[in-house]
Amino acid sequence: MSKTVNLPHDDASCGWYAALPAAQPATRLQGEQRADYAVIGAGFAGLAAARRLAEHHPEARILLVDAQRVAQGASGRNSGFVIDLPHKFALEHPDPAHKQRLLALNRAAIAQLQGLIQAHGIDCQWSHAGKYQGAVGPRGMAYLEHFEKLMKDLGEPFDWVERGALAKVLGTGHYSGAIYTPGCYLMQPAALVSGLGRSLPDNVELLEESPIQRLERDGQGGWILHGSAGRIRTARLLLGTSIFTQEFGYLRNRLLPVMTFASWTRPLTDSELQVYGGQLDWGLTPADHAGTTVRMTQDRRLIIRNTYKHVPKYGKSTSDAMRESVRSDHRKAFLARFPQLANVPFSHTWGGVYAISRNFTNFFGELEPGVFASACDNGVGAAWGTISGTLLADLAVGADSAQLRDIQAVTGMPSLNPPEPFLGLGVRSRIRLAAWNSRSEL
């Protein structure tokens, strides 16, 4: 394979990453390197895969390589939810066993992350806060009633929270009601991913700011990974590259690159916190999936996330003007909820790219002999990336388990996309239609 890949091009305005202490200088790929295993992508999936490989083979040399710094990419840009429940679309799956497998896998990921946070003292605002799914008006309440039925079918606990009680938590009477589910954890994603990167086993070498620009077969059953200042020869290659998997020639025309955007405030002052009147450390996702996600962090920042864009050129599909427009929309959503905080500015607005598929199917498995991938998290990357990366390493070393069989049972092949320009027209039209239909919930 000689195709040159398109690289990440994320904006430099992610609030989560900006809030971290200054990072130590990066170790970059230089010269000729040999590894027993190479992992591309140091997000949740790649970090978990490298760690598990090291546990299986502590004598092996494992190289984990990323085009950016750890936490600069998608894994450090999400809204900080680690959700145990199957995603909205997966909740509608007709097979109860399918949903129970997803639930068990997500909970295994949460337990794994919690263990690592405790073992390595990772300061990332980790909290068993649960999650609210909120409705603004009749459209959202209809979605909540449907969600209630799905939760009953799943046999999972939940609580209805009426407007008055909800306002005491959120500091706003904007919502008609919500369903609270207790299994979600909240965190600072860039801090968590950065901490996972700093605490890798000794036989994992992390190479940052080292984009792999080309893959080549070595003629002996292995691979050569070409960077700008060096290359890696390896017998086994694991891809934790999400949407960028298609840049290496795999799952082409099966993944859709979508970017969602968030803005957050600076930390509220003591007087602003009194005016706000709600609690710290909560998260709310919209009952209508095209609505607005809202969070209040432990360090007093309010976050607004909505707006979806089809980004065929990833970060290069965006512009400063686009982000300013998104920021303006976020401001309207913020003021609708917190008019008492009209003088509190946003300090950062950022986007993050993730992969979805038309059939909402995650890929997990061996792409060809010696090449393994977990790709397409369909927007729920923290838990899924962690458990899929872990089990991908199991698959690569031939370690069988009930969990491995479970993830193989719930994954498959993302469906083919129509060709351009029909794909772009269709995706953009669907996003616009969803935003219009959901305008009362934004």
Side-chain angles (χ1 to χ4, degrees), residues 323-400:
R323 280 191 292 276
E324 280 302 313
S325 175
V326 167
R327 189 183 183 96
S328 177
D329 290 341
H330 287 173
R331 196 68 192 170
K332 294 173 185 176
F334 177 80
L335 293 175
R337 289 160 175 80
F338 306 105
Q340 72 274 34
L341 298 175
N343 293 327
V344 178
F346 288 149
S347 62
H348 297 82
T349 298
W350 66 93
V353 182
Y354 65 96
I356 63 173
S357 59
R358 292 174 63 237
N359 58 351
F360 301 104
T361 295
N362 311 81
F363 180 84
F364 173 93
E366 191 170 12
L367 291 162
E368 63 173 295
V371 183
F372 304 83
S374 171
C376 196
D377 58 36
N378 285 298
V380 286
W384 185 258
T386 297
I387 194 63
S388 66
T390 299
L391 296 174
L392 194 69
D394 287 355
L395 181 65
V397 304
D400 189 25

Side-chain angles (χ1 to χ4, degrees), residues 191-212:
L192 175 53
V193 175
S194 179
L196 293 171
R198 290 193 308 270
S199 60
L200 288 165
D202 290 341
N203 62 323
V204 177
E205 299 172 48
L206 175 61
L207 304 175
E208 300 173 278
E209 297 179 346
S210 301
I212 298 303

